[in-house]
Every structure is written in structure tokens, then in C-alpha cells.
């Protein structure tokens, strides 16, 4: 099978080698080109925000955004993101776990990596990651470049090594020239640093800020239905208190919260951010995820514990710490209490969350990638292939 893969790769690359690939010179939609760099333009920039972060009002500014990449760097990152060449054996791409049609998640309780291994946590959505200051569920990465190193070189994910990745890219007849286009004037354009930089550039182009909620918040009050407005009122109320952690307009406060989410049956307790910060008070704590495009990213929570959005919402009204395993001490976040929401109020919140959907800036999935392999946007297990469990800390 390995030799067949190499044969197909060699023949497809040979065909593409004669082609001339030119990276885009224009910015993605909603980005403005200034001095060769792309800068995000959005209506929230008309509003200020205390300490450069959202504070929950309908007309408040967004957190500071990372932009300033060139069009070529963003486009190169797009090819890299969808190219299976970045994995150990050409079987996985970044898009295998971050599929555009699934909210840049993968629709699985926990993602599947190399050789069918089930990894520890669900794949988080990538929408609006350019605003985030901490990455991963346990907040262990501070930049998109640092985050990319994890899945690229983790044995149970893409399982590559820096040496093999660079050797494959250098040997490719197209990538060296594409890196020269994206990083002109550099002595070594094709470097691991620039691979990570280009992936970050593409991911910052994944912006979702034009949902029905956004149009309502910025003055077009007909953008939400009466049912969605009713749900928004419950969501923002001091009874439900959803907005205190899932703070508009980003719908996350970017903090760690210990909420006592139950693990799936048979799965050991995930201590989460306790391991990152070596703090017992963060046992079972995870980064508050954005709720934008949340209807696209089922199942929910760090381990995909809840299949439906309604089940995930209902969890919060069943009582403070009700799902913490016996004998385990957790310092449950003070926002978690017993709101005793009615079935109608839960349904109203779910209806409102649907109004946070916006895929108007969905990037184009390439028809082909420089490796000549098929652009992958999902894990495709071999017939009857067993899927190994991986539950190491």
C-alpha cells in the first residue's frame, strides 16, 4: 500500500510540475489590501471596548485581531491546510479534523488521527481564531504557530516530523517556488517557520461576523425573528447568565472555566487546564469556546459528550456540579448555578444560537494541491480498519 501511495504521488506531482502556479495577489473578502498586507474590515470597528475586549453589549468592540499577512501568504496557507503532504504518510490534512462544511470542526466526539487513533479531545472550530489569545481546549498555546506544531508532530494526529515535513516540501516541484512568492527576499523562503506562519495566515482569514445576530446588534432589528429575540433575552438574562462566559460579540470571554462536564461513558477524567497551568483549581477546566456557527459543530463539549445543542444547553440547568464524579474535587466556576430554566426557555436559547450562524466568508477549498494528492476534508477509514483508542494525558 505504501508503494502504491508513493507511485501515485510521484506520477501526480510529475503532471503538476509542468504547471505554473501563481498565488493570489488579492486579499480575501472583508480584508483590505494596504502596502501589500491584508487588514480586516468590519462594522464592529466603529465601536470601542474596554481593555480591547468585548464586554457583552450589542454595540461593543471586538478583541484585538491578528492580521497584516500578505495575500500570497494567506493563499499558500490555504494550500498547506488542505494538503495531505503535511502528514506522515499523506493520509491526513489539517482539514481532515477541521472540515469547512462542519464549522471547521469534524463532527466527531473526538477526532481521529494517524492509523485511526481516537485522540483525546474534539476538534474545536477555527472560525474567528485570529481573535483568540489562547489555543487548544486546555489553553496550552499562545499563537497559531505554536498551536500548529501540536497536530503536525503529535504521534496520534498527523504524526510527521520536522525533518520529514521539510524534506517532502523541498523535494516537491511546486512548493519551493510558492514559498518564494509568499516570502520574497528571504534567504530561505521554504522554512518550517514560514510553514507555520502561512498556516496561521490562512486561519486568520476564517472570519464569521455577519450572522443575523450581528445585523441585529448593529442596527437592523428585523434581522432576528421574535423567537430568536426571545431566546437572546433569556441568553443575556441574569437568570441564565450564558453571556457572562460566552460574551458577545465574539461569544467567548477567552477564559478557562471549570463547569464539571461529564466524560463519555468509559472515558477517564480529563483534567484539562490543570496540566497546562499546574493549578489544582483548574482541574476539569477548559477554554470557553466560541458559540459562532455552533449549530454546525455537534457534538459538544471537549469530549463530544452531548450529541445535540439542546442537551448541551440543558446541562447548565441541572444543578451546580451535578455531573462531577464521586470523590473528585472541582472548583466549579461561580457563574455555574441552578437557573431552573423551563423547557421553553431552553428551546428559546437553542433557537437564538442558530442566529449566530454565518459562513459568508467561507474560503474556497482547492480543487488540487501542490503535492498532487487529493485535498482531504475528512477522515476516510479503510474498510474494516480498527480505530485504536488513545487516552494518554
Amino acid at each position: 500500500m505504501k508503494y502504491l501511495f508513493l507511485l501515485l504521488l510521484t506520477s501526480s506531482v510529475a503532471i503538476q510540475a509542468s504547471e505554473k502556479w501563481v498565488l493570489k495577489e488579492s486579499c480575501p473578502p472583508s480584508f483590505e489590501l494596504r502596502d501589500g498586507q491584508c487588514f480586516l474590515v468590519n462594522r464592529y470597528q466603529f465601536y470601542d471596548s474596554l481593555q480591547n475586549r468585548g464586554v457583552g453589549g450589542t454595540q461593543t468592540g471586538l478583541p484585538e485581531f491578528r492580521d497584516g499577512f500578505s495575500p500570497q501568504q494567506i493563499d499558500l496557507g490555504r494550500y498547506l491546510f488542505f494538503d495531505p503532504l503535511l502528514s506522515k504518510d499523506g493520509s491526513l490534512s489539517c482539514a481532515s479534523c477541521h472540515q469547512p462544511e462542519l464549522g471547521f470542526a469534524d463532527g466527531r466526539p473526538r477526532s481521529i488521527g494517524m492509523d485511526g487513533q481516537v485522540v483525546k479531545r474534539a476538534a474545536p472550530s477555527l472560525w474567528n481564531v485570529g481573535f483568540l489569545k489562547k489555543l487548544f481546549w486546555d489553553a496550552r498555546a499562545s499563537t497559531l504557530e505554536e498551536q500548529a506544531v501540536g497536530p503536525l508532530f503529535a504521534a496520534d494526529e498527523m504524526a510527521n516530523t520536522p525533518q520529514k515535513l521539510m524534506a517532502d516540501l523541498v523535494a516537491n516541484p511546486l512548493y519551493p517556488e510558492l514559498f518564494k512568492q509568499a516570502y520574497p527576499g528571504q534567504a530561505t523562503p521554504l522554512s518550517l517557520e514560514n510553514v507555520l506562519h502561512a498556516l496561521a495566515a490562512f486561519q486568520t482569514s476564517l472570519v464569521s461576523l455577519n450572522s443575523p445576530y450581528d445585523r441585529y446588534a448593529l442596527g437592523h432589528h428585523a434581522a432576528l425573528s421574535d423567537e430568536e429575540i426571545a431566546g437572546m433575552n433569556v441568553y443575556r438574562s441574569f437568570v441564565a447568565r450564558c453571556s457572562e462566559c460566552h460574551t458577545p460579540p465574539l461569544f467567548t470571554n477567552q477564559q478557562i472555566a471549570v463547569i464539571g462536564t461529564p466524560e463519555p461513558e468509559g472515558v477517564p477524567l480529563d483534567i484539562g487546564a490543570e496540566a497546562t497551568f499546574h493549578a489544582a483549581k483548574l482541574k476539569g477546566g477548559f477554554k470557553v469556546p466560541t458559540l459562532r456557527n455552533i449549530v454546525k459543530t455537534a457534538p459538544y463539549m471537549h469530549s463530544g459528550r452531548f450529541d445535540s445543542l439542546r442537551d448541551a444547553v440543558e446541562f447548565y440547568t441541572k444543578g451546580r456540579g451535578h455531573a462531577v464524579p464521586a470523590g473528585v474535587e472541582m472548583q466549579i466556576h461561580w457563574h455555574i448555578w441552578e437557573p431552573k430554566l423551563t423547557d421553553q426557555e431552553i428551546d428559546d436559547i437553542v433557537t437564538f444560537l442558530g442566529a449566530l450562524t454565518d459562513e459568508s466568508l467561507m474560503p474556497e477549498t482547492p480543487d488540487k494541491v501542490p503535492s498532487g494528492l487529493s485535498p482531504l476534508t475528512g477522515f476516510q477509514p479503510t474498510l474494516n480498519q480498527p480505530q485504536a483508542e488513545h487516552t494518554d494525558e
Side-chain angles (χ1 to χ4, degrees), residues 2 74 96 115 140 169 187 189 200 212 226 228 230 274 276 291 293 299 302-303 314-315 329 335 350 384-385 387-388:
K2 178 179 179 182
I74 295 172
S96 296
D115 300 323
R140 68 183 184 272
L169 289 171
D226 290 343
E228 289 166 338
E274 178 184 6
T276 301
L291 299 182
N293 292 316
H302 67 277
S303 59
E314 188 180 31
F315 164 80
E329 291 189 9
H335 286 172
V350 173
N384 297 324
Q385 178 186 20
Q387 295 180 8

Side-chain angles (χ1 to χ4, degrees), residues 198-380:
L199 286 170
F202 169 67
Q203 291 177 78
T204 61
S205 74
L206 306 179
V207 176
S208 179
L209 295 174
N210 193 33
S211 68
Y213 165 81
D214 296 299
R215 297 193 291 275
Y216 175 92
L218 298 172
H220 180 46
H221 291 172
L224 293 184
S225 68
D226 290 343
E227 293 78 12
E228 289 166 338
I229 292 173
M232 181 182 69
N233 290 336
V234 178
Y235 177 95
R236 292 172 58 84
S237 71
F238 191 69
V239 177
R241 305 174 76 164
C242 307
S243 63
E244 293 182 0
C245 287
H246 297 283
T247 310
L250 202 57
F251 287 88
T252 172
N253 61 6
Q254 306 206 50
Q255 296 177 6
I256 301 296
V258 180
I259 65 173
T261 306
E263 302 289 352
E265 185 176 353
V267 175
L269 176 68
D270 188 338
I271 64 172
E274 178 184 6
T276 301
F277 298 98
H278 307 289
K281 68 179 181 180
L282 295 179
K283 181 186 297 294
F286 297 94
K287 188 167 64 69
V288 176
T290 179
L291 299 182
R292 287 183 172 273
N293 292 316
I294 190 70
V295 298
K296 298 282 187 174
T297 61
Y300 301 102
M301 304 296 183
H302 67 277
S303 59
R305 176 62 176 81
F306 299 116
D307 291 331
S308 74
L309 191 51
R310 194 188 192 283
D311 289 343
V313 174
E314 188 180 31
F315 164 80
Y316 292 92
T317 196
K318 287 188 172 181
R320 179 180 174 86
H322 71 277
V324 176
V328 176
E329 291 189 9
M330 285 188 185
Q331 296 189 30
I332 302 297
H333 195 287
W334 67 278
H335 286 172
I336 304 298
W337 67 311
E338 299 183 19
K340 296 182 172 61
L341 299 178
T342 66
D343 285 344
Q344 184 60 57
E345 288 171 328
I346 294 172
D347 289 339
D348 288 344
I349 291 175
V350 173
T351 297
F352 168 65
L353 294 178
L356 303 182
T357 304
D358 166 41
E359 298 177 313
S360 59
L361 300 183
M362 179 71 76
E364 179 185 0
T365 298
D367 294 327
K368 54 186 178 181
V369 288
S371 69
L373 298 168
S374 296
L376 291 182
T377 58
F379 175 78
Q380 301 295 329

Side-chain angles (χ1 to χ4, degrees), residues 158-186:
M158 298 175 77
N160 215 332
T161 65
Q163 296 76 19
K164 185 178 187 304
L165 173 60
M166 294 310 301
D168 288 343
L169 289 171
V170 170
N172 182 272
L174 298 175
Y175 271 121
E177 171 58 30
L178 293 178
F179 273 84
K180 288 180 182 178
Q181 293 178 33
Y183 298 95
Q186 291 191 9

Side-chain angles (χ1 to χ4, degrees), residues 183-200:
Y183 298 95
Q186 291 191 9
T188 309
L190 208 175
S191 64
L192 179 58
E193 179 182 6
N194 286 343
V195 171
L196 302 177
H197 186 265
L199 286 170

Side-chain angles (χ1 to χ4, degrees), residues 9 157 350:
L9 176 61
E157 295 192 55
V350 173

